Amino acid sequence: MAHELTIRIPFGDVQFATYAQQALAVDKELRPSQVSKALTVDGDTLVVTFHAVSVRMLRTSVSSFLEFANLAARTLAEFGESI
């Protein structure tokens, strides 16, 4: 695939980064032949790498992912201590 983007999201805690990875990994791409993403944890940071056939598909996928990542981060901030 012609276009690639890597995003690093710090969570401040290895366990929180792992929770986020597990929660966000279940959201599969709607067009896997045009966009793929890989989620890994590096210390307390969630690392997400996207590959896409076009900039438009990359932008759409990243935008959608960031909405879910924001929700995951807010949820962990609110309820993280009790998890």
Side-chain angles (χ1 to χ4, degrees), residues 15-30:
Q15 194 62 48
F16 286 178
T18 302
Y19 289 152
Q21 176 196 29
Q22 292 169 346
L24 296 167
V26 299
D27 183 32
K28 302 298 180 199
E29 292 298 328
L30 296 176

Side-chain angles (χ1 to χ4, degrees), residues 3-68:
H3 304 281
E4 178 180 327
L5 175 70
T6 299
I7 299 173
R8 300 178 62 82
I9 305 170
F11 277 89
D13 183 270
V14 174
Q15 194 62 48
F16 286 178
T18 302
Y19 289 152
Q21 176 196 29
Q22 292 169 346
L24 296 167
V26 299
D27 183 32
K28 302 298 180 199
E29 292 298 328
L30 296 176
R31 297 186 176 149
S33 63
Q34 296 181 13
V35 179
S36 66
K37 72 174 177 265
L39 289 84
T40 58
V41 173
D42 180 17
D44 67 350
T45 302
L46 177 64
V47 181
V48 188
T49 302
F50 296 86
H51 292 93
V53 296
S54 71
V55 172
R56 180 179 179 204
M57 292 302 298
L58 182 62
R59 183 188 72 235
T60 301
S61 181
V62 170
S63 177
S64 175
F65 174 81
L66 289 175
E67 287 183 33
F68 288 117

